[in-house]
Amino acid sequence: ATAYGSYPDVYSTGRRPDDRMESFFLAETLKYHYLLQAPVQDHGIDILQSHVFNTEAHPMSLFGTARFNELKAKAGAGRSASG
């Protein structure tokens, strides 16, 4: 049995899916799924209001949001403390 597999040709009826997992599946696809389903309080990433994903499934803060300004202030405070 195959839990997750790929179909090389979706028009080929009767073909079973390939029994292999692409390397990006766990790292990206399931990460998207988790972040979409889990409450924001669990991970702090609000993809509907203040974050977007890049192509590698890394969340990035949108410019001008409260979260972006918070992170920017932290980065600025870290630079001034070390400089």
Side-chain angles (χ1 to χ4, degrees):
T2 303
Y4 294 98
S6 62
Y7 286 94
D9 181 5
V10 296
Y11 296 108
S12 178
T13 60
R15 179 181 168 131
R16 294 181 51 86
D18 291 345
D19 190 13
R20 64 187 179 96
M21 186 184 310
E22 299 291 342
S23 62
F24 61 81
F25 183 76
L26 291 173
E28 296 174 25
T29 308
L30 291 181
K31 185 175 178 181
Y32 287 132
H33 181 69
Y34 168 74
L35 291 172
L36 285 168
Q37 301 298 320
V40 172
Q41 296 80 8
D42 287 357
H43 49 72
I45 299 168
D46 185 359
I47 60 169
L48 298 176
Q49 300 297 322
S50 61
H51 291 83
V52 295
F53 290 122
N54 68 10
T55 57
E56 297 294 323
H58 300 295
M60 301 175 71
S61 295
L62 293 172
F63 293 119
T65 62
R67 178 68 174 155
F68 176 79
N69 293 332
E70 176 188 332
L71 293 172
K72 185 177 175 183
K74 281 184 183 178
R79 273 191 234 134
S80 63
S82 64

